[in-house]
Amino acid sequence: MIRRALAAARTWLAPWAEARRHRLEAFGAIVQLTRPRALVFVDRDRARALGLDGGATWAGPAPGVDDAPLAAPLEAHLQLTNRCAAGCAGCYTGASAAAGPGEWGLAEWRRALDALADAGVFHVALGGGESATLPWLGALVDHARARGLIPNLTTSGLAGLDRLLPIADRFGQINVSIDGLGPTYAAVRGFDGFARADAAVRALRGVTPHVGINVVVTRANFAELPALFAYARRRRLAEVELLRWKPSGRGAAVYERLRCTDAHHRALLPTVLAAARKARIRVKLDCSYTPMIAHHDPGPQLLAQLAVYGCAGGDFLIGAKPTGAITACSFAAPPPPDGDRRPRVDDLAGYWRRPDAFGRFRTWRAAAEPCASCAYLTQCRGGCRVVSAHAGDLGAPDPECPRVVDHRRDVAFGNEGRRVGRRLPVV
Amino acid sequence: MTRRGRILATKWGLNPNSSSLGVDVTFLLVGATAVAMATPIVGALLRWRRPAAAPAVESAAPPAPSEPAEPR
């Protein structure tokens, strides 16, 4: 019995004693912790204190974290397939029951993982389409682990569960897309799939504790957010991740009908923090919500410490289409062809360093007003480029940012570094 | 004397979402003071772990673009 207890203790403690991976950066280094799960940005002195030697990477004066793009992305979002039979009304990839032309298979994605690992990427987020239906998903996940990458997955839970359950414990985190409870699910997605998605949540939770839900926030489900947090608590889930509706794929056609209102955006952060506190569950907001966080003026320094960033496409993250084409983020179009083909994710090392890489995703420092004078520009980076592109100009300020809305109405907005009284529900 | 240096940022958790970068904002519930108090704990955890055999990558960052590129 004592031997069993000691073995259990060793198993529990093992991740705490795991070796830390790191990546050198011009400002210092990024160090990965596996428990607690975190990427820690340290300056050169702290990196030296940890025994790291920057060599040529640290030649010259140390820049700030945001003075230039990172040495490589932190994570890559791989759309393994565009095949999905669910037919959601607002699918941002426009997925269909048939796979798209030229989709990569296991060998090509393995090569992509090799390129990402060689570049120093820490995490990959696998999605689709519905990647859970791919017969080679387990082999790909094993390859990611073997190369030191942590694989994570988003699934609809509507298909491929029989394939996914036996390999679920190999993922760092799996989130099931649930945009509403019962009828609200149908209001957002166009069909009632809640029962099947809920069954997937319960089955996955039986295999691994690292299960959460992704919720695309719309005007149809905004009022239901506290109930969704309570649902996540009942299912003993690890987190709720809230995503802004993006005008991409089939989502563009129903964008005006389903996107949140300005009032929703201003109320989002207090609403979700109160719901998270009540349900005692962790909450994540996607990068496109950073303008709505900044609206509550938590302080640029605090957001920097928590690595809260707006558009980090082509810097902290990259995307890859099912054909392997590299993109700044999953919603962005691939770069123009370079010779006879577009740059691919396995070309990352070469493409990353090009001065024109990722186009206007990397030119946020030249932002127009009201972003130029915003105290949060470095964190927010102008908001979501995809929403700006939908409004007509990819490089323009996010038109749904409360500060931009006020600027256009000629209403004074006070987050130029001074407090404006929109305090958060701090406990 | 060796300077201890600073922890500049901590990005918590893993992001399973393949369409955007999810950030854990739960810390906003407890405010800047709690975040500042957590930083020494993160520092201790960093020191406790031994380094991996080889760094993931040793390369300089690309230059920051100075001229806006053409929209796509």
Side-chain angles (χ1 to χ4, degrees):
Chain A
M1 187 170 168
I2 292 173
R3 197 172 294 161
R4 266 210 306 272
L6 285 173
R10 267 200 300 272
T11 304
W12 189 81
L13 284 171
W16 293 85
E18 274 181 10
R20 48 177 158 76
R21 290 179 72 227
H22 66 271
R23 185 173 87 198
L24 297 175
E25 295 283 348
F27 60 79
I30 300 173
V31 186
Q32 180 180 35
L33 293 176
T34 49
R35 185 176 291 187
R37 298 159 154 204
L39 294 174
V40 187
F41 295 52
V42 297
D43 69 5
R44 291 180 182 179
D45 286 333
R46 178 60 68 107
R48 280 191 199 97
L50 294 172
L52 308 183
D53 177 4
T57 306
W58 291 351
V65 171
D66 305 296
D67 290 347
L70 299 177
L74 301 178
E75 59 186 67
H77 300 168
L78 309 182
Q79 188 192 350
L80 299 181
T81 178
N82 207 32
R83 184 198 299 265
C84 177
C88 298
C91 177
Y92 76 90
T93 71
S96 63
E103 289 197 356
W104 275 9
L106 176 60
E108 291 90 349
W109 285 117
R110 271 185 170 151
R111 196 174 63 228
L113 291 181
D114 289 340
L116 295 171
D118 290 345
V121 171
F122 294 99
H123 309 152
V124 289
L126 308 179
E130 180 49 78
S131 295
T133 60
L134 296 170
W136 39 264
L137 183 62
L140 190 69
V141 168
D142 288 345
H143 190 70
R145 287 286 188 185
R147 291 304 318 264
L149 296 160
I150 298 181
N152 306 293
L153 180 77
T154 293
T155 176
S156 67
L158 303 176
L161 190 62
D162 52 339
R163 288 187 196 275
L164 181 57
L165 285 175
I167 60 171
D169 61 347
R170 303 179 206 171
F171 290 93
Q173 176 76 24
I174 299 176
N175 278 17
V176 179
S177 299
I178 291 188
D179 298 335
L181 306 173
T184 310
Y185 186 108
V188 177
R189 296 208 158 210
F191 61 93
D192 185 4
F194 175 73
R196 281 186 291 156
D198 179 44
V201 165
R202 281 182 283 143
L204 287 166
R205 185 61 187 82
V207 178
T208 169
H210 305 300
V211 179
I213 56 172
N214 283 354
V215 180
V216 180
V217 184
T218 67
R219 63 183 69 187
N221 65 4
F222 190 91
E224 201 173 86
L225 289 178
L228 279 159
F229 277 81
Y231 162 80
R233 176 72 181 175
R234 282 199 305 279
R235 293 285 179 255
R236 299 181 299 116
L237 302 184
E239 66 179 32
V240 175
E241 181 159 348
L242 301 177
L243 316 171
R244 191 169 153 200
W245 188 279
K246 312 293 190 313
S248 176
R250 287 197 291 274
V254 291
Y255 186 66
E256 289 305 318
R257 178 167 65 83
L258 283 173
R259 72 182 178 90
C260 281
T261 64
D262 181 50
H264 288 146
H265 286 149
R266 290 170 197 255
L268 179 80
L269 188 61
T271 300
V272 301
L273 289 181
R277 184 171 58 182
K278 188 172 180 187
R280 285 174 290 148
I281 194 166
R282 295 176 78 160
V283 56
K284 285 185 187 163
L285 294 179
D286 89 353
C287 40
S288 62
Y289 274 133
T290 303
M292 292 71 182
I293 299 173
H295 171 64
H296 293 274
D297 202 15
Q301 185 61 32
L302 178 57
L303 294 195
Q305 286 174 332
L306 294 173
V308 176
Y309 282 92
C311 183
D315 187 359
F316 283 44
L317 68 96
I318 57 165
K321 300 291 185 190
T323 56
I326 196 170
T327 58
C329 83
S330 299
F331 303 101
D338 185 15
D340 59 344
R341 66 171 174 84
R342 294 181 188 276
R344 299 187 317 213
V345 65
D346 52 347
D347 302 325
L348 174 65
Y351 182 72
W352 188 260
R353 293 174 182 286
R354 284 173 39 168
D356 62 342
F358 302 110
R360 294 180 78 175
F361 279 83
R362 282 189 174 176
T363 60
W364 54 269
R365 295 171 187 83
E369 288 292 356
C371 295
S373 60
C374 180
Y376 290 88
L377 173 62
T378 301
Q379 299 309 126
C380 175
R381 303 184 172 191
C384 183
R385 305 296 83 222
V386 182
V387 178
S388 293
H390 182 69
D393 181 0
L394 185 146
D398 185 333
E400 296 178 3
C401 164
R403 178 181 170 87
V404 174
V405 171
D406 287 346
H407 179 76
R408 290 176 181 173
R409 288 180 188 153
D410 201 20
V411 176
F413 187 91
N415 78 354
E416 288 88 11
R418 57 190 162 85
R419 298 291 181 188
V420 291
R422 283 185 291 272
R423 305 300 300 182
L424 296 169
V426 172
V427 292
Chain B
M1 190 172 121
T2 307
R3 293 173 59 191
R4 283 185 62 193
R6 290 192 306 133
I7 290 175
L8 304 170
T10 305
K11 185 178 181 302
W12 295 99
L14 301 173
N15 178 36
N17 179 34
S18 59
S19 65
S20 53
L21 189 71
V23 289
D24 194 329
V25 295
T26 317
F27 272 95
L28 294 181
L29 274 171
V30 291
T33 307
V35 173
M37 288 168 64
T39 302
I41 298 171
V42 172
L45 287 169
L46 288 178
R47 284 196 302 277
W48 187 34
R49 306 310 209 288
R50 67 187 189 284
V57 69
E58 293 195 37
S59 55
S66 52
E67 294 296 323
E70 286 304 304
R72 297 187 176 127

